[in-house]
Amino acid sequence: MKRSQFVFTIGFQGDAAIVDKRAQRRYGKLTTMELASKGLLRAAFCSAIYSDDGTEMDQFVRFFAEETGAEHVSADYLKRLFGVYTVPDEVKKIVTV
């Protein structure tokens, strides 16, 4: 999967990822923190996961904690909150809607 496809995936059907085409076109080139600043927190979190960069994830975690006032925020907490754990390997098809 490409980054913008993963970031704007809204669900899965078997081995296919369902991607929000409008959001992907509008916001697909934004960085993790640009997405976060626009309020697209789930997309920003997915972007941080896709990057596999600890510094980027830490930056997003701090931003999320400051914006929401949540205490004890961690990457694991956000994985459970957003229901996103990793970039899936089994996706063979992309469906845009």
Side-chain angles (χ1 to χ4, degrees), residues 1 5-6 9 11-12 14-18 87-95:
M1 291 184 85
Q5 292 169 332
F6 177 67
T9 295
F12 296 93
D15 64 352
I18 313 301
V87 180
D89 294 329
E90 64 275 357
V91 173
K92 299 197 181 356
K93 184 169 52 169
I94 306 296
V95 178

Side-chain angles (χ1 to χ4, degrees), residues 1-72:
M1 291 184 85
K2 294 178 185 175
R3 176 191 170 274
S4 65
Q5 292 169 332
F6 177 67
V7 168
F8 296 103
T9 295
I10 55 176
F12 296 93
Q13 178 68 40
D15 64 352
I18 313 301
V19 177
D20 181 340
K21 177 174 40 178
R22 184 178 297 152
Q24 182 184 13
R25 267 187 288 169
R26 187 169 180 186
Y27 303 111
K29 295 184 191 279
L30 298 181
T31 66
T32 296
M33 295 314 295
E34 288 171 336
L35 290 165
S37 68
K38 291 197 176 291
L40 301 169
L41 298 177
R42 183 182 183 281
F45 179 69
C46 289
S47 176
I49 285 180
Y50 192 88
S51 75
D52 199 27
D53 178 5
T55 304
E56 190 171 330
M57 180 61 77
D58 291 341
Q59 186 179 16
F60 176 75
V61 169
R62 279 192 308 277
F63 177 88
F64 183 88
E66 290 171 7
E67 289 296 308
T68 63
E71 296 180 17
H72 310 296

Side-chain angles (χ1 to χ4, degrees), residues 70-83:
E71 296 180 17
H72 310 296
V73 177
S74 67
D76 288 334
Y77 169 82
L78 293 174
K79 286 178 182 180
R80 290 189 306 276
L81 178 68
F82 292 120

